[in-house]
Every structure is written in C-alpha cells, then in structure tokens.
Amino acid sequence: MPENHDPIVEVVEALRASGRTVEPDAEFERWQVDGKWITSGDLMALALRLGLMDGPVRLQ
C-alpha cells in the first residue's frame, strides 16, 4: 500500500458509490452523511457496517 494512502478517501468513495451524500467540514474532521454530522471514526464504522469496506483481520 502506498505511503500516502488515506483510508478515509476510500471510505468516502465507497459511501458515495452506494448512493449516499458525503461532505466534509472545513477541517475534514467531521463528515456530513445524508444530512447527519459524524466523526471520521464513525464514517469508517458506517462503511464497515454497510459491508462497503473490509474490516481488520484478526489472526489467532
């Protein structure tokens, strides 16, 4: 994976491709998804819950 890879960009693209409206605040710290403001962490969690992104793999 490239050093400059930003997982948030990937999440935003996946959410937009699923038909959701996603816009950042001025500092890119909070995101408006379909009219509701959420944090970057919640943005990633939403994409995981919707099955749009793969979650971390846990090895045993």
Side-chain angles (χ1 to χ4, degrees), residues 25-45:
D25 68 4
E27 293 83 30
F28 289 84
E29 292 178 1
R30 294 180 54 203
W31 296 83
Q32 190 174 32
V33 179
D34 296 335
K36 181 181 175 189
W37 287 100
I38 61 175
T39 65
S40 295
D42 290 337
L43 185 75
M44 294 185 85

Side-chain angles (χ1 to χ4, degrees), residues 3-35:
E3 284 183 31
N4 61 354
H5 176 259
D6 185 355
I8 292 293
V9 172
E10 206 173 319
V11 168
V12 169
E13 289 175 356
L15 287 167
R16 286 179 177 163
S18 75
R20 299 191 183 277
T21 301
V22 182
E23 296 298 329
D25 68 4
E27 293 83 30
F28 289 84
E29 292 178 1
R30 294 180 54 203
W31 296 83
Q32 190 174 32
V33 179
D34 296 335

